[in-house]
Amino acid sequence: MTSLFRPDVEALAGYTPGEQPQESGWVKLNTNENPYPPSPQVVAAIKQALEGRLNVYPDPLGRKFCQAAADVYGVDPDWILPANGSDENLTILVRAFADKNDLIAYPYPSYVLYETLAEIQGTRRARLQLNGDWSWDLQRNRPLIEQAKLLFLPNPNSPSGNSWSLDCIQKLVPPNGVLVHDEAYGDFAANPHRMELLRSEVGSQVVVTKTLSKSYSLAGLRFGFCIAQPDMIRGMRKVKDSYNCDMIALAAAEAALLDQDWMLANRNKILNTRAQLASELSESGFDVVPSDANFVWATHPVLKHQTIYEELKARKVLIRFMQFPGGIEPCDRYPDGKLDGLRITVGTDEEIQSLLKTLRVVIEDSPST
Amino acid sequence: MTSLFRPDVEALAGYTPGEQPQESGWVKLNTNENPYPPSPQVVAAIKQALEGRLNVYPDPLGRKFCQAAADVYGVDPDWILPANGSDENLTILVRAFADKNDLIAYPYPSYVLYETLAEIQGTRRARLQLNGDWSWDLQRNRPLIEQAKLLFLPNPNSPSGNSWSLDCIQKLVPPNGVLVHDEAYGDFAANPHRMELLRSEVGSQVVVTKTLSKSYSLAGLRFGFCIAQPDMIRGMRKVKDSYNCDMIALAAAEAALLDQDWMLANRNKILNTRAQLASELSESGFDVVPSDANFVWATHPVLKHQTIYEELKARKVLIRFMQFPGGIEPCDRYPDGKLDGLRITVGTDEEIQSLLKTLRVVIEDSPST
């Protein structure tokens, strides 16, 4: 019998889980987790939820969480859609807005999941090629932006960590489509772009997505949410599973949002460590893109990135080696337009010192490209 | 501007959340929750998980849970796919197997979510009309079964609670498609059909779905899983979000499965209460379908079901009034082929006595249809 799977699914590469070593002993700087624990209020809220009734369904709308998020962001609760991680919200967006003949667009190089989600849905898709300095060539990309039904914009971007300005973002809103402003790393940016975008002239075409995985130290919990005008939220609700968030996650997420001080204190520690990391990588000869996120993107003009990654891994320091076969616009920094490099999560000061120490050993032993 | 949503999504009725009163004081018999708490091992496992690191991502494959499920069901771990509730597995199945031109089929009257998922995906869809005694007219439905790419079979069925035999199930496997054997209520059945189906001649075309919401008393946790041959699981993994299960739910679910005695003790209590409920409803003049699930389907030849539901609700007893506008084959029990009725979850003995007492008051006051 031929495959029973949809041809779009059959064509996908097999799923390769990210490297998530479950045992201790690693300096783990590969998936942009926050090195600090979540607020003690989160743990207290989960323990309190355990006193409740796990045998009954949670509130399908997560109204208590929505109220907390609304208070933090200065909107009404019907502007909020909670989800089982930001990944689920991205999946809901694709299923809500993009039909087979619609175009899903996203910058390149950027977060690879957007393309995977478009492939699963079987839509048309387009990479919007970024300049070598990670800025936008709006003129070149204009025809694709105008055709897009859904345009995913991670801001700050990954793997580069840079942010784009409000003025630039507004020019990326598709005239007949939806801009998804993915703020997974927004809390680490100097200027998180939030409400002004949703309240601007193009506000009815914008969905902001946020996650508790990074700034709130809750990657293990799986919780994200959208902020958008109520008509958008109502439509997205039709697509989501009724009970997509469990009662423990809802209680924990509410507690996390209500302890802004804890999140901001960790954010500030990470920003200090980020400056230190960027500076020391530069001194070691790396080119480091100025980062607005909790990671840095580092390339070396001579050394082989894959070797560095592997040698670090052999010493139980895990960073991310990333390749972008589609390349980037050739420029001084990337003269041949080929792009691979190292994405390093900002851990604690101790973790980063351990990385840098190991990196110096690896560099001394390393053959050039 | 016209709607930005996909036409299929725009056409969906607005999402109406189920009745999940968050305050206490209700006798809640409307969404088939287990009235007993989950195993103490579950709570202990969650507390232990809280000692771990919530700031790091969970195992994307949930391997410890898969091992536990494999041990319980006598398969290898690569036969298991954990998900954020059985709802998520049903969504993954639709997205993995059904393209626009494919047919999704499901019995009628049955669980309404199958049709909603097909509508969201925008596929062709077909109701397989059941006989008035809830049996299959295989000859009549044969042409649709043969066309189906995906056939959802809840067994036991909802709202009726009856089960179909292994012989019948095997005849429902689409020759060029997938049969989803939805065992949400399987643990309450006299003969839960499990491994023999997956190991039969048609095993490569079968996916069994299970949930911890009902028999394991964990509706609040959102956890379900599939059992299928490894090629099926591999393809479904391509469609799921990478981190679809959080570390707390994974730990809790593993603990729940490992305490089979707790589940079975609650199951047996529920079966005893079910017999009592069915018997007393019959004495009150209701027609009750013999149930293999943790609920019963009751219709009354004279009284108006909606009124009974509303009068009970006014007295803080919540059951489910269900209407099936597509009807059922006319027969003695449903002479005009119209179908509405009352689905009543089997609660504790105390809850059921409270329901029956209130019901007697309501019936005395109730006008006939």
Side-chain angles (χ1 to χ4, degrees), chain A residues 57-219:
Chain A
Y57 282 98
D59 177 4
L61 299 180
R63 280 168 287 199
K64 282 190 74 192
F65 169 80
C66 291
Q67 185 63 60
D71 290 346
V72 169
Y73 293 100
V75 293
D76 285 331
D78 58 357
W79 288 57
I80 308 291
L81 185 76
N84 185 42
S86 207
D87 281 0
E88 190 193 27
N89 264 331
L90 300 178
T91 298
I92 289 172
L93 283 159
V94 168
R95 296 174 67 215
F97 291 108
D99 252 323
K100 294 263 175 210
N101 294 322
D102 292 328
L103 183 74
I104 298 183
Y106 32 81
Y108 191 90
S110 185
Y111 186 32
V112 292
L113 180 66
Y114 306 132
E115 193 160 88
T116 304
L117 291 175
E119 284 168 354
I120 294 173
Q121 183 78 347
T123 69
R124 293 192 299 134
R125 45 196 176 268
R127 297 174 173 180
L128 308 173
Q129 197 75 45
L130 295 171
N131 291 325
D133 63 356
W134 302 95
S135 68
W136 279 91
D137 183 341
L138 287 170
Q139 200 175 346
R140 172 184 174 175
N141 285 303
R142 178 61 49 199
L144 290 169
I145 295 167
E146 290 191 353
Q147 283 178 57
K149 188 70 191 298
L150 203 51
L151 195 156
F152 285 106
L153 187 76
N155 198 23
N157 188 39
S158 170
S160 51
N162 70 298
S163 285
W164 296 296
S165 70
L166 185 60
D167 180 56
C168 171
I169 300 165
Q170 283 173 323
K171 291 184 178 133
L172 291 169
V173 178
N176 299 300
V178 175
L179 176 90
V180 178
H181 194 246
D182 182 344
E183 296 184 4
Y185 302 106
D187 288 324
F188 302 105
N191 287 303
H193 302 284
R194 288 168 177 167
M195 294 306 124
E196 65 266 49
L197 193 59
L198 289 174
R199 295 210 166 101
S200 72
E201 237 174 62
V202 294
S204 64
Q205 291 169 255
V206 172
V207 176
V208 169
T209 65
K210 304 190 82 79
T211 175
L212 270 62
S213 295
K214 317 294 184 184
S215 52
Y216 292 92
S217 307
L218 285 169

Side-chain angles (χ1 to χ4, degrees), chain A residues 293-330:
Chain A
N294 70 334
F295 56 84
V296 299
W297 177 247
T299 50
H300 196 283
V302 183
L303 299 177
K304 215 171 159 213
H305 301 128
Q306 187 164 5
T307 308
I308 295 173
Y309 155 78
E310 284 165 359
E311 291 295 323
L312 286 172
K313 187 175 171 185
R315 291 163 176 84
K316 295 204 101 172
V317 176
L318 202 54
I319 63 171
R320 191 76 166 263
F321 167 64
M322 298 179 99
Q323 288 176 294
F324 293 90
I328 194 163
E329 278 299 284

